[in-house]
Amino acid sequence: MYTNALFQAVNQAESNTVLDPVFIKSSAQPKDFPPDRGMEVAVVGRSNSGKSSAVNALAGVRKLARTSKTPGRTQLINFFGVAEERRIVDLPGYGFARVPPAVRAKWREFIEAYFAQRESLVGLIVTMDIRRELSELDRTMLNFASDLSLETLVLLTKADKLSRGAGLSAQARVRKELAGFGEVMVFSGLKGQGVDAARRHLTDWLQITEPAARRQGAE
Ligand code: GDP
């Protein structure tokens, strides 16, 4: 009984952990990446998939992700520090309509360079609108993660737009497609659904333990 209560209290405290992120820099080319030390987790997704909202919800802030919404001007990789040598990396979105092939090719080259170079990369979060199918570029990202043996989490975003049952069947469908590769979670940054659980993955992967992460309300 006592142990149970204690367990619940610890769980509750953990779920209130916020990451207190600090913007490090935006990089437009690999030579501008910050030092490749420690660990980082990248977040990627199709444009309008809810990536920025997910990054903000995971970090526990209202407005962290600063990706421009203008197609062609989104080719920046944004690095945020969440603890000593621990980073969340906001990768530029993809799937904009009417993006010239040259811009698309440049995006791909940049992303490939990022995956090829970053030794500190330990995990990838892919955001996907729960009402859509996995896109070809979603699969490409998941393949990069698989090739590098990264921890992987697919967030099925905007889950509040579907009933619980429809959300669970979307989750089952994507899980089946991924055939056991990575985790698939139903998520809504808007309603907070799945946020604590996803954040726990993030902090586990980054090996962030108290007191590295600040607790909400503790200050
Ligand atoms: P990004 O382009 O992938 O960074 O996507 P954003 O985070 O900017 O979100 C795209 C649109 O989806 C915006 O209009 C958001 O308000 C909306 N959105 C994002 N997350 C949610 C969510 O959890 N629920 C709902 N209903 N809308 C969301």
Side-chain angles (χ1 to χ4, degrees):
M1 185 71 177
Y2 171 73
T3 318
N4 225 354
L6 187 65
F7 179 68
Q8 273 173 9
V10 170
N11 250 352
Q12 183 60 36
E14 275 178 4
S15 72
N16 288 335
T17 299
V18 293
L19 293 168
D20 203 10
V22 180
F23 175 68
I24 300 173
K25 70 186 305 191
S26 293
S27 304
Q29 46 189 334
K31 73 175 176 51
D32 296 333
F33 290 161
D36 195 2
R37 288 194 299 263
M39 295 182 196
E40 65 192 29
V41 169
V43 187
V44 75
R46 188 186 181 114
S47 77
N48 208 40
S49 66
K51 174 175 64 82
S52 310
S53 309
V55 169
N56 290 332
L58 290 173
V61 296
R62 215 167 267 173
K63 199 162 173 29
L64 173 69
R66 36 170 83 192
T67 311
S68 158
K69 294 289 170 199
T70 317
R73 274 208 234 139
T74 50
Q75 313 218 314
L76 289 175
I77 296 184
N78 297 311
F79 292 85
F80 300 94
V82 291
E84 185 72 23
E85 303 209 328
R86 298 292 188 272
R87 295 171 296 277
I88 297 179
V89 184
D90 184 18
L91 299 181
Y94 43 82
F96 289 105
R98 296 190 301 277
V99 167
V103 173
R104 215 171 291 221
K106 195 164 162 267
W107 171 86
R108 196 178 166 112
E109 198 181 302
F110 190 28
I111 294 282
E112 277 179 354
Y114 170 79
F115 279 101
Q117 287 184 18
R118 295 299 280 184
E119 305 233 328
S120 52
L121 179 63
V122 295
L124 181 71
I125 296 177
V126 179
T127 54
M128 173 191 154
D129 187 320
I130 196 163
R131 299 163 299 173
R132 302 189 72 138
E133 303 287 323
L134 278 170
S135 72
E136 195 196 322
L137 282 170
D138 292 332
R139 286 175 212 281
T140 303
M141 297 299 114
L142 291 163
N143 284 335
F144 285 154
S146 164
D147 290 347
L148 294 168
S149 303
L150 302 180
E151 302 277 6
T152 307
L153 175 61
V154 175
L155 295 181
L156 301 178
T157 60
K158 312 187 196 178
D160 55 281
K161 300 233 185 202
L162 290 186
S163 69
R164 190 177 136 76
L168 290 176
S169 59
Q171 182 184 33
R173 189 191 74 234
V174 177
R175 270 195 181 141
K176 196 165 164 207
E177 267 193 82
L178 296 185
F181 176 69
E183 283 246 23
V184 181
M185 284 180 43
V186 175
F187 187 90
S188 165
L190 190 73
K191 300 281 181 196
Q193 185 182 357
V195 172
D196 291 339
R199 192 187 295 132
R200 269 197 292 277
H201 283 290
L202 185 67
T203 51
D204 278 356
W205 298 348
L206 291 174
Q207 296 175 15
I208 295 177
T209 46
E210 296 293 335
R214 186 167 60 90
R215 282 185 179 171
Q216 225 160 23
E219 291 180 352

